[in-house]
């Protein structure tokens, strides 16, 4: 039996019902089961209907990752890896208006109990951890000094 566009749409809607997905993620996941040309057509329709939006995905992703204690540099990189356009990423950051000093402060408080580093080696270890989490040197310097 040939695959119908309705089958692809149903599979895409099942994925979108669980959480927002970028167009690129949907292409990858649906590409395991369906023809690429058919997927493109269905995703265009979903985007036109407002059911799939990279902007909405990016806004949700930024908000969620910031709440989990990740910094702007890492979040940007993760969004780019998920195929979101740089312009959509910038709009997502603008619309969320996150205070990154509050985020990094919360991370430091949860991880280290708000206690200052007792020696230089410990301070360097904390800096590496915060860099890994995606915070800028300026944010790290402000919160650790």
């Amino acid at each position: 039996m040939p695959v119908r566009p309705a089958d692809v749409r149903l599979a895409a809607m099942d994925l979108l019902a669980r959480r927002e997905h970028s167009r690129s993620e949907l292409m990858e996941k649906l590409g395991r089961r369906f023809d690429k040309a058919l997927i493109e057509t269905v995703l265009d329709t979903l985007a036109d209907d407002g059911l799939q939006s990279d902007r909405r995905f990016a806004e949700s992703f930024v908000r969620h990752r910031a709440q989990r204690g990740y910094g702007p540099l890492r979040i940007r990189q993760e969004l780019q890896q998920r195929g979101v356009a740089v312009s959509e990423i910038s709009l997502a950051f603008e619309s969320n208006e996150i205070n990154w000093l509050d985020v990094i402060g919360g991370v430091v408080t949860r991880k280290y109990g708000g206690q200052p580093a007792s020696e230089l080696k410990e301070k360097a270890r904390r800096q590496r951890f915060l860099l890994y989490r995606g915070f800028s040197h300026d944010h790290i310097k402000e919160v650790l000094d």
Side-chain angles (χ1 to χ4, degrees), residues 125-139:
R125 192 174 69 76
R126 291 180 184 192
Q127 287 174 335
R128 282 191 306 275
F129 171 74
L130 294 171
L131 281 171
Y132 162 78
R133 277 296 184 103
F135 294 100
S136 70
H137 289 285
D138 293 338
H139 288 140

Side-chain angles (χ1 to χ4, degrees), residues 31 34 45 53 59 79 82 85 87 102 105 116 145:
F34 304 108
T45 305
S53 166
E59 289 172 356
L79 282 168
R82 285 169 169 77
S87 60
D102 288 347
D145 286 344

Side-chain angles (χ1 to χ4, degrees), residues 90-103:
S90 296
L91 288 171
F93 274 93
E94 288 172 21
S95 69
N96 275 302
E97 298 177 3
I98 296 168
N99 183 336
W100 294 106
L101 288 176
D102 288 347
V103 175

Side-chain angles (χ1 to χ4, degrees), residues 36-101:
K36 185 177 179 181
L38 191 56
I39 297 169
E40 288 279 349
T41 306
V42 169
L43 291 182
D44 288 342
T45 305
L46 289 174
D48 291 344
D49 294 344
L51 298 172
Q52 189 281 322
S53 166
D54 276 359
R55 177 172 297 158
R56 205 170 47 232
F57 168 74
E59 289 172 356
S60 170
F61 191 86
V62 168
R63 194 171 38 256
H64 174 73
R65 296 300 276 170
Q67 288 171 348
R68 303 277 299 149
Y70 289 92
L73 303 176
R74 179 156 175 184
I75 295 171
R76 274 184 197 281
Q77 181 184 29
E78 289 177 351
L79 282 168
Q80 287 174 343
Q81 289 172 345
R82 285 169 169 77
V84 178
V86 174
S87 60
E88 296 291 347
I89 295 171
S90 296
L91 288 171
F93 274 93
E94 288 172 21
S95 69
N96 275 302
E97 298 177 3
I98 296 168
N99 183 336
W100 294 106
L101 288 176

